Amino acid sequence: MADTFLLKPVDLTTTDATTIYTVPTTDDTTVPATESTTAIIKSIRVANDSGSDDTVTLTVTRGSAVFAVETVKAVAANIAIEVLTVPLVANEGDIIKATAATANRLHVLLSVLEIT
């Protein structure tokens, strides 16, 4: 078993749902093989580097299902917020996405512990 701490920074340059992080899936065809992974998301910080208020929506996609983590969360001008109050556990193939109401205002920093 291995533990890997990662930081996944993303600049939300569009108003489309943007992938921040995808939990790795088992792949025996790679060398070395990609092992089964569980991810513990410790933090999701959203920073607004503009002079205008904005909002962000965060989701987890599992297969074809989309689950809300935060919906239209306010992020004041020139402020950073922490979205999570407790860690979030994600399984193989889960995808964390963020959608900004306005392009080029928000940055997302996701801190994750991958356990393989």
Side-chain angles (χ1 to χ4, degrees), residues 3 5 13 27-28 42 51 53 58 62 68-69 82-83 86 101 112 116:
D3 295 344
F5 290 93
T13 59
D27 185 352
D28 293 331
K42 307 284 281 175
D53 295 349
L58 294 159
R62 179 175 286 172
V69 176
E82 174 58 47
V83 175
V86 296
V112 60
T116 55

Side-chain angles (χ1 to χ4, degrees), residues 48-111:
N48 183 345
D49 67 353
S50 78
S52 301
D53 295 349
D54 211 334
T55 62
V56 66
T57 296
L58 294 159
T59 60
V60 174
T61 301
R62 179 175 286 172
S64 60
V66 178
F67 302 93
V69 176
E70 279 288 350
T71 305
V72 193
K73 177 76 172 175
V75 186
N78 300 309
I79 294 292
I81 62 167
E82 174 58 47
V83 175
L84 297 180
T85 57
V86 296
L88 180 70
V89 177
N91 299 319
E92 280 190 67
D94 286 351
I95 304 167
I96 311 300
K97 295 181 181 182
T99 306
T102 309
N104 295 313
R105 287 186 182 169
L106 303 178
H107 298 139
V108 179
L109 298 172
L110 181 142
S111 296

Side-chain angles (χ1 to χ4, degrees), residues 34-48:
T34 304
E35 298 181 43
S36 174
T37 303
T38 298
I40 300 173
I41 299 164
K42 307 284 281 175
S43 171
I44 301 175
R45 290 193 57 81
V46 180
N48 183 345

